[in-house]
């Protein structure tokens, strides 16, 4: 799979509410009411990622979760990452949790 070029990256981010480019990855942060809610969210992400065969890097800090997508084999962001971000938005919502 080939990395997205600069224009494709800009277009992908523009189409992905709340996702941003950071350190060569597509990144999104969520904030939850507490640790349990954050962990329940991560469990939902795990099911979606396993079904897609594409697994985000996940960072959990108490009630905050950060997902980062990059295709390591391609050395950057690919259409697979943008598609996974869109799938996560569709399944989990585009609004930040309270």
């Amino acid at each position: 799979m080939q990395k997205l070029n600069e224009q494709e990256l800009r277009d992908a981010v523009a189409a992905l509410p709340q996702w941003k480019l950071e350190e060569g990855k597509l990144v999104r942060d969520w904030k939850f009411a507490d640790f349990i809610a954050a962990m329940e969210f991560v469990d939902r992400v795990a099911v979606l990622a396993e079904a897609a065969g594409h697994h985000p890097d996940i960072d959990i800090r108490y009630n905050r979760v950060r997902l980062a997508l990059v295709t390591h084999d391609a050395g950057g962001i690919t259409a697979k990452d943008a598609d996974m971000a869109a799938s996560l938005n569709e399944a989990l919502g585009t609004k930040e949790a309270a």
Side-chain angles (χ1 to χ4, degrees):
M1 182 153 285
Q2 190 170 349
K3 292 189 323 185
L4 298 179
N5 65 38
E6 289 300 318
Q7 184 60 52
E8 291 168 328
L9 281 171
R10 283 191 294 275
D11 293 345
V13 171
L16 293 167
Q18 306 225 341
W19 290 84
K20 60 188 173 192
L21 293 175
E22 192 172 289
E23 298 180 6
K25 299 177 183 180
L26 275 175
V27 176
R28 182 167 172 202
D29 296 301
W30 281 266
K31 181 180 177 186
F32 298 91
D34 56 30
F35 182 71
I36 296 298
M39 292 306 297
E40 289 170 347
F41 172 80
V42 169
D43 286 343
R44 292 176 62 202
V45 169
V47 170
L48 294 167
E50 191 63 21
H54 194 54
H55 305 91
D57 295 337
I58 303 173
D59 183 44
I60 306 162
R61 309 288 172 133
Y62 179 59
N63 68 335
R64 296 177 187 270
V65 177
R66 170 173 277 209
L67 301 181
L69 292 162
V70 64
T71 302
H72 297 285
D73 293 346
I77 298 168
T78 66
K80 191 171 187 174
D81 301 303
D83 292 345
M84 186 68 196
S87 294
L88 290 166
N89 276 359
E90 182 178 326
L92 304 171
T94 57
K95 301 215 186 266
E96 185 173 299

